[in-house]
Amino acid sequence: MPSVETSLPRLRCKDLLSILDLNHGELETVLRLSSRLKTERTLGLRAPTAHVLDGRHVGLLFEKPSLRTRVTFTIGVRELGGEVVEISADVMHADREPLHDVARNLERWVDAIAIRTFAQDRLVQLAQSTRDLHVINGLSDDEHPCQALADLQTLSELWGSLPGRIVAYVGDGNNVATSLVHAALMSGVSVRVATPKGYELPRAVIQAGASIATHGAELTELSDPARAVAGADAVYTDVWTSMGQEVEYAERKAVFRTYQVDGRLMAQAKPGAIFMHCLPAHRGDEVTDEVIESPASVVFDQAENRLHAQKALLLMLLG
Ligand code: CP
Ligand code: NVA
């Protein structure tokens, strides 16, 4: 019988910087493994994967605040037998040493690093400077792939089969929206994105989406939240002002005022539609208390699934 280690599926890519690093089959495999790990978690140290990362180290480096990503990576690595090393964000300052030197040092000590940073290019530079260090995007200004893995797992658990479903994303065409759109289209889920003018998804994101869609899934760009939500199976939103954009808060609040997900908007979705949010949420801005606390809300399931999806990812990169 093959050992747990040899029977674990592997990813072709060294790093996970973007959902676009995965293909359709790999995404499906991550989600399947993630569900298995969720079930096996009740076994604790007797779980078949409890020692796969014995003697391995994973660095965590956050240049922005984090609750969910930090805690789920820490617990996830430990539950697989590995050790976490918290690295202070000040080592990333340009006047200290070049990014590629940071990466080449880390490569000698740790197997992987999960990083939350600003420009996506910082992740690319770190990843390209090393042959062996696995770099995982824990959120950049442009993408949040670990969130999208947990989101798709949440949908898959609720719906069983993903192709043919419709997700409406209402709000800022940001990092969370980008990764959600890519993971959904790759899974055969159509996405309707409603954004105000000037806050649309970047062109390159839309073009990439078209090339990876399966099962005829389509991306529709709109400006009217009601049209996006009409008949949708899920309604997703995120903060209007992302980390690093705080000076724009007042301006964004005015622009996005009509993009709040409230009870009236939810009522236009398909009966039984769910509400999703990556969290943290700014209640009273992008979502009302009523909606986030309603039975339709799956936001804490999404948060829980961050743990399982990232464990699956770690196993498929390092296992
Ligand atoms: N959703 C998410 O990434 O949460 P944190 O910012 O708390 O990590
Ligand atoms: N778009 C948000 C997501 C937080 C998880 C941000 O970047 O701040």
Side-chain angles (χ1 to χ4, degrees), residues 139 144 174-176 238-239 242-243 278-280:
L139 179 144
H144 198 0
N174 63 13
N175 45 9
V176 167
D238 183 18
V239 292
S242 286
M243 292 179 277
C278 58
L279 303 179

PDB file of all heavy atoms in Angstrom, residues 139 144 174-176 238-239 242-243 278-280, ligand 2:
ATOM      1  N   LEU A 139      -2.168  37.077   0.304  1.00  0.00           N
ATOM      2  CA  LEU A 139      -2.880  38.304  -0.121  1.00  0.00           C
ATOM      3  C   LEU A 139      -1.867  39.339  -0.597  1.00  0.00           C
ATOM      4  O   LEU A 139      -0.882  39.622   0.085  1.00  0.00           O
ATOM      5  CB  LEU A 139      -3.736  38.929   0.999  1.00  0.00           C
ATOM      6  CG  LEU A 139      -4.508  40.230   0.666  1.00  0.00           C
ATOM      7  CD1 LEU A 139      -5.869  40.282   1.368  1.00  0.00           C
ATOM      8  CD2 LEU A 139      -3.697  41.466   1.020  1.00  0.00           C
ATOM      9  N   HIS A 144      -5.858  37.174  -4.054  1.00  0.00           N
ATOM     10  CA  HIS A 144      -5.969  36.490  -2.751  1.00  0.00           C
ATOM     11  C   HIS A 144      -6.361  35.026  -3.019  1.00  0.00           C
ATOM     12  O   HIS A 144      -7.478  34.594  -2.698  1.00  0.00           O
ATOM     13  CB  HIS A 144      -7.017  37.206  -1.890  1.00  0.00           C
ATOM     14  CG  HIS A 144      -6.928  36.883  -0.432  1.00  0.00           C
ATOM     15  ND1 HIS A 144      -5.985  36.018   0.104  1.00  0.00           N
ATOM     16  CD2 HIS A 144      -7.674  37.310   0.628  1.00  0.00           C
ATOM     17  CE1 HIS A 144      -6.160  35.944   1.409  1.00  0.00           C
ATOM     18  NE2 HIS A 144      -7.171  36.708   1.751  1.00  0.00           N
ATOM     19  N   ASN A 174     -11.517  44.110  -6.732  1.00  0.00           N
ATOM     20  CA  ASN A 174     -10.228  44.092  -6.019  1.00  0.00           C
ATOM     21  C   ASN A 174      -9.558  42.713  -6.038  1.00  0.00           C
ATOM     22  O   ASN A 174      -9.903  41.831  -6.835  1.00  0.00           O
ATOM     23  CB  ASN A 174     -10.453  44.595  -4.583  1.00  0.00           C
ATOM     24  CG  ASN A 174     -11.391  43.679  -3.784  1.00  0.00           C
ATOM     25  OD1 ASN A 174     -11.693  42.561  -4.204  1.00  0.00           O
ATOM     26  ND2 ASN A 174     -11.834  44.148  -2.636  1.00  0.00           N
ATOM     27  N   ASN A 175      -8.603  42.531  -5.117  1.00  0.00           N
ATOM     28  CA  ASN A 175      -7.853  41.277  -5.005  1.00  0.00           C
ATOM     29  C   ASN A 175      -8.746  40.051  -4.771  1.00  0.00           C
ATOM     30  O   ASN A 175      -8.579  39.012  -5.427  1.00  0.00           O
ATOM     31  CB  ASN A 175      -6.804  41.403  -3.878  1.00  0.00           C
ATOM     32  CG  ASN A 175      -7.334  42.042  -2.591  1.00  0.00           C
ATOM     33  OD1 ASN A 175      -8.536  42.264  -2.433  1.00  0.00           O
ATOM     34  ND2 ASN A 175      -6.433  42.355  -1.673  1.00  0.00           N
ATOM     35  N   VAL A 176      -9.706  40.202  -3.866  1.00  0.00           N
ATOM     36  CA  VAL A 176     -10.602  39.076  -3.559  1.00  0.00           C
ATOM     37  C   VAL A 176     -11.480  38.763  -4.778  1.00  0.00           C
ATOM     38  O   VAL A 176     -11.677  37.599  -5.140  1.00  0.00           O
ATOM     39  CB  VAL A 176     -11.453  39.410  -2.302  1.00  0.00           C
ATOM     40  CG1 VAL A 176     -12.600  38.422  -2.130  1.00  0.00           C
ATOM     41  CG2 VAL A 176     -10.558  39.424  -1.072  1.00  0.00           C
ATOM     42  N   ASP A 238     -17.050  42.394  -0.556  1.00  0.00           N
ATOM     43  CA  ASP A 238     -15.822  42.616   0.227  1.00  0.00           C
ATOM     44  C   ASP A 238     -15.797  44.099   0.590  1.00  0.00           C
ATOM     45  O   ASP A 238     -16.599  44.895   0.061  1.00  0.00           O
ATOM     46  CB  ASP A 238     -14.590  42.217  -0.620  1.00  0.00           C
ATOM     47  CG  ASP A 238     -13.269  42.352   0.138  1.00  0.00           C
ATOM     48  OD1 ASP A 238     -13.295  42.410   1.387  1.00  0.00           O
ATOM     49  OD2 ASP A 238     -12.207  42.413  -0.528  1.00  0.00           O
ATOM     50  N   VAL A 239     -14.856  44.460   1.446  1.00  0.00           N
ATOM     51  CA  VAL A 239     -14.747  45.867   1.870  1.00  0.00           C
ATOM     52  C   VAL A 239     -14.580  46.792   0.661  1.00  0.00           C
ATOM     53  O   VAL A 239     -14.045  46.394  -0.366  1.00  0.00           O
ATOM     54  CB  VAL A 239     -13.555  46.068   2.834  1.00  0.00           C
ATOM     55  CG1 VAL A 239     -13.812  45.384   4.158  1.00  0.00           C
ATOM     56  CG2 VAL A 239     -12.241  45.589   2.204  1.00  0.00           C
ATOM     57  N   SER A 242      -9.703  48.609   0.733  1.00  0.00           N
ATOM     58  CA  SER A 242      -8.799  47.527   1.119  1.00  0.00           C
ATOM     59  C   SER A 242      -7.615  48.066   1.917  1.00  0.00           C
ATOM     60  O   SER A 242      -7.360  49.279   1.927  1.00  0.00           O
ATOM     61  CB  SER A 242      -8.301  46.800  -0.137  1.00  0.00           C
ATOM     62  OG  SER A 242      -9.327  45.992  -0.661  1.00  0.00           O
ATOM     63  N   MET A 243      -6.895  47.140   2.541  1.00  0.00           N
ATOM     64  CA  MET A 243      -5.710  47.528   3.318  1.00  0.00           C
ATOM     65  C   MET A 243      -4.718  48.240   2.395  1.00  0.00           C
ATOM     66  O   MET A 243      -4.445  47.766   1.292  1.00  0.00           O
ATOM     67  CB  MET A 243      -5.057  46.282   3.929  1.00  0.00           C
ATOM     68  CG  MET A 243      -5.920  45.633   4.996  1.00  0.00           C
ATOM     69  SD  MET A 243      -5.181  44.155   5.686  1.00  0.00           S
ATOM     70  CE  MET A 243      -5.650  42.908   4.484  1.00  0.00           C
ATOM     71  N   CYS A 278     -15.286  37.571   2.506  1.00  0.00           N
ATOM     72  CA  CYS A 278     -13.999  37.001   2.938  1.00  0.00           C
ATOM     73  C   CYS A 278     -13.670  37.368   4.378  1.00  0.00           C
ATOM     74  O   CYS A 278     -12.875  36.680   5.026  1.00  0.00           O
ATOM     75  CB  CYS A 278     -12.893  37.482   2.011  1.00  0.00           C
ATOM     76  SG  CYS A 278     -12.777  39.285   1.954  1.00  0.00           S
ATOM     77  N   LEU A 279     -14.258  38.472   4.878  1.00  0.00           N
ATOM     78  CA  LEU A 279     -13.953  39.034   6.207  1.00  0.00           C
ATOM     79  C   LEU A 279     -12.503  39.553   6.224  1.00  0.00           C
ATOM     80  O   LEU A 279     -11.664  38.944   5.571  1.00  0.00           O
ATOM     81  CB  LEU A 279     -14.189  38.023   7.324  1.00  0.00           C
ATOM     82  CG  LEU A 279     -15.606  37.419   7.405  1.00  0.00           C
ATOM     83  CD1 LEU A 279     -15.666  36.419   8.558  1.00  0.00           C
ATOM     84  CD2 LEU A 279     -16.658  38.498   7.555  1.00  0.00           C
ATOM     85  N   PRO A 280     -12.195  40.619   6.940  1.00  0.00           N
ATOM     86  CA  PRO A 280     -13.069  41.338   7.854  1.00  0.00           C
ATOM     87  C   PRO A 280     -14.137  42.143   7.111  1.00  0.00           C
ATOM     88  O   PRO A 280     -13.883  42.650   6.012  1.00  0.00           O
ATOM     89  CB  PRO A 280     -12.114  42.284   8.582  1.00  0.00           C
ATOM     90  CG  PRO A 280     -10.990  42.519   7.621  1.00  0.00           C
ATOM     91  CD  PRO A 280     -10.850  41.251   6.861  1.00  0.00           C
TER      92      PRO A 280
HETATM   93  N1  NVA B   2      -9.781  43.365  -0.098  1.00  0.00           N
HETATM   94  C1  NVA B   2      -9.406  43.220   1.285  1.00  0.00           C
HETATM   95  C2  NVA B   2      -9.373  41.778   1.658  1.00  0.00           C
HETATM   96  C3  NVA B   2      -9.012  41.490   3.090  1.00  0.00           C
HETATM   97  C4  NVA B   2      -8.936  40.009   3.376  1.00  0.00           C
HETATM   98  C5  NVA B   2      -8.059  43.879   1.524  1.00  0.00           C
HETATM   99  O1  NVA B   2      -7.159  43.728   0.688  1.00  0.00           O
HETATM  100  O2  NVA B   2      -7.902  44.570   2.531  1.00  0.00           O
END
